[in-house]
């Protein structure tokens, strides 16, 4: 079936059907739904090349990844986010353009994507405080959604984030309720916005109980197994070691568990450990009973939702900034218990 035949069945002009299929705002929602339903019923798929020529749209979304040696994007969690976003793109006949570039060419890459018309919008990863990419993307008029938030950004922007401050506040409160008073934080890199918010939640929970946060019980590094191991081991060798550790990811938590075991201690009895679990499809937190007590939020679902937000902004440029804050669950596992006497 071609476009003319589909339009004839619907009693509409080919132009109206084409615009309905391609998300033009001037087509009312009832007509759009009727066209989409009929197209699906007859397995009609528009000619993507022709649509691109007619609309000037690329039907592609960009992800620009800087090659930084000390950068959270090296974490394999990124793969699950991309997988979730990819599901949304595929469902909407969009392609994904992944650009891995040297750090000093990131701005140039965004400008090139815009000038060449290679993508209709981008998702911004790993936001930092006062992130300069937000002002740049506004300036070049590129639709975008930020995965996370950028504290200090002067311009409005669309974002999707997990409530990192609340998640780590709640986890710290849980450990305090178990009687722990010396709690270590094994955090991510703290020029990253999410890590700043997690530290804030941890500090807020301690100070609310009259405890003074100690620099010796706080570490900031890449979320790798070896970094988690080194940070946890250093804390556990203190004259007054922590009885609990709060880790920024499952991967760093695995390093903390190894450090606990190397010290001849038992996780969950001598030292409690809480991780942040991104509910990864390829790295599960145990089977029926979680290995780690965790603050859990699916990064794959975040990818799906962020992609949906961006496609909405591309289809309807008049939409204002969109914001979505996801809450993390606190999942009970085998890695926590009362503070040792």
């Amino acid at each position: 079936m071609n476009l003319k035949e589909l339009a004839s069945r619907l009693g509409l002009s080919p132009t109206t059907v084409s615009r309905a299929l391609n998300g033009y705002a001037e087509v009312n929602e009832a007509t759009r739904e009727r066209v989409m339903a009929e197209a699906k019923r007859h397995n009609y798929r528009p000619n993507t090349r022709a649509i691109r020529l007619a609309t000037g749209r690329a039907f592609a979304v960009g992800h620009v990844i800087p090659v930084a040696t000390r950068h959270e994007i090296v974490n394999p969690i990124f793969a699950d986010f991309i997988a979730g976003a990819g599901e949304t793109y595929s469902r909407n006949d969009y392609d994904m353009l992944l650009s891995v570039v040297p750090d000093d060419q990131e701005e140039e890459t965004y400008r090139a994507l815009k000038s060449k018309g290679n993508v209709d919008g981008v998702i911004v990863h790993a936001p930092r405080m006062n992130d300069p990419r937000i002002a740049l993307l506004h300036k070049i008029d590129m639709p975008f959604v930020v995965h996370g938030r950028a504290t200090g950004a002067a311009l409005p922007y669309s974002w999707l984030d997990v409530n990192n401050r609340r998640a780590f506040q709640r986890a710290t409160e849980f450990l305090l309720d178990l009687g722990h008073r010396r709690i270590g934080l094994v955090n991510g890199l703290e020029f990253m916005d999410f890590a700043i918010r997690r530290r804030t939640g941890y500090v807020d929970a301690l100070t609310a109980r009259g405890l003074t946060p100690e620099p010796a019980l706080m570490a900031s590094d890449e979320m790798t197994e070896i970094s988690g191991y080194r940070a946890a081991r250093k804390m556990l060798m203190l004259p007054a070691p922590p009885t609990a550790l709060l880790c920024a990811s499952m991967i760093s938590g695995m390093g903390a568990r190894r450090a606990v075991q190397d010290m001849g201690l038992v996780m969950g009895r001598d030292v409690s450990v809480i991780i942040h679990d991104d509910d990864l499809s390829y790295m599960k937190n145990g089977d029926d009973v979680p290995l780690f007590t965790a603050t859990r939020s699916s990064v794959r679902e975040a990818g799906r939702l962020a992609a949906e937000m961006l496609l909405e902004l591309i289809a309807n440029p008049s939409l204002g900034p969109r914001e979505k804050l996801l809450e993390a669950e606190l999942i009970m596992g085998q890695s926590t218990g009362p503070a040792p006497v």
Side-chain angles (χ1 to χ4, degrees):
M1 176 178 288
N2 59 35
L3 180 64
K4 288 184 178 179
E5 291 170 339
L6 179 64
S8 177
R9 284 179 175 274
L10 289 161
L12 299 170
S13 71
T15 299
T16 298
V17 171
S18 177
R19 288 179 174 272
L21 290 170
N22 292 294
Y24 281 87
E26 61 265 30
V27 179
N28 69 61
E29 195 58 34
T31 299
R32 188 191 319 280
E33 289 178 1
R34 189 160 69 94
V35 170
M36 296 298 288
E38 190 71 11
K40 185 176 181 180
R41 185 176 300 115
H42 294 283
N43 198 30
Y44 172 77
R45 298 178 68 85
N47 185 310
T48 304
R49 185 176 181 183
I51 292 171
R52 289 173 178 170
L53 289 171
T55 64
R57 284 162 59 179
F59 284 87
V61 168
H63 295 258
V64 178
I65 312 303
V67 183
T69 56
R70 293 179 59 80
H71 197 285
E72 293 299 348
I73 219 65
V74 303
N75 196 293
I77 289 167
F78 177 66
D80 248 38
F81 180 91
I82 286 294
E87 291 173 18
T88 296
Y89 301 148
S90 178
R91 191 168 62 250
N92 289 276
D93 291 324
Y94 264 74
D95 295 326
M96 176 169 53
L97 180 62
L98 185 62
S99 302
V100 181
V101 303
D103 294 18
D104 60 358
Q105 293 181 21
E106 191 173 2
E107 177 177 339
E108 179 185 334
T109 301
Y110 282 119
R111 291 183 180 278
L113 290 174
K114 176 64 178 180
S115 64
K116 294 177 181 178
N118 290 341
V119 300
D120 298 318
V122 295
I123 289 183
V124 176
H125 297 275
R128 305 177 287 274
M129 286 190 69
N130 305 305
D131 199 307
R133 292 173 294 181
I134 291 173
L136 169 66
L137 293 168
H138 271 287
K139 184 176 181 180
I140 64 176
D141 195 27
M142 172 74 84
F144 69 99
V145 168
V146 178
H147 178 213
R149 283 174 285 175
T151 300
L155 296 169
Y157 62 97
S158 295
W159 56 263
L160 177 141
D161 197 12
V162 175
N163 194 341
N164 286 292
R165 187 199 67 80
R166 178 60 187 143
F168 272 51
Q169 181 183 29
R170 189 179 178 195
T172 306
E173 290 170 344
F174 175 73
L175 292 170
L176 291 167
D177 290 342
L178 288 173
H180 297 277
R181 291 297 176 267
R182 294 187 61 76
I183 301 169
L185 174 66
V186 180
N187 205 5
L189 293 168
E190 290 183 358
F191 64 81
M192 310 293 286
D193 194 89
F194 80 90
I196 296 169
R197 293 177 187 275
R198 290 179 181 182
R199 179 192 278 253
T200 300
Y202 160 82
V203 169
D204 287 351
L206 292 178
T207 54
R209 300 288 182 97
L211 299 173
T212 302
E214 298 181 34
L217 294 182
M218 292 182 276
S220 168
D221 206 338
E222 291 184 15
M223 296 188 298
T224 63
E225 195 275 348
I226 189 62
S227 293
Y229 173 82
R230 289 171 177 165
R233 185 173 177 83
K234 183 177 180 180
M235 292 181 195
L236 292 171
M237 293 181 71
L238 292 170
T243 60
L245 297 167
L246 184 54
C247 299
S249 74
M250 184 187 300
I251 299 168
S252 55
M254 291 169 66
R257 178 181 64 173
R258 182 161 65 92
V260 169
Q261 293 172 341
D262 280 2
M263 298 287 290
L265 303 171
V266 176
M267 184 175 72
R269 186 193 70 188
D270 302 312
V271 181
S272 290
V273 178
I274 296 182
I275 66 163
H276 181 74
D277 176 15
D278 285 287
D279 196 20
L280 301 178
S281 56
Y282 52 86
M283 186 182 291
K284 291 297 183 182
N285 181 15
D287 293 320
D288 295 333
V289 179
L291 172 62
F292 290 102
T293 295
T295 56
R296 177 179 291 171
S297 180
S298 170
V299 72
R300 192 179 189 112
E301 180 64 13
R304 293 190 193 102
L305 294 173
E308 287 173 4
M309 287 175 67
L310 180 58
L311 295 188
E312 288 175 4
L313 290 171
I314 291 169
N316 300 287
S318 61
L319 288 176
R322 313 293 297 278
E323 300 174 354
K324 190 171 187 64
L325 185 62
L326 307 175
E327 295 292 340
E329 295 181 86
L330 183 61
I331 305 296
M332 298 299 112
Q334 305 170 56
S335 63
T336 51
V341 179

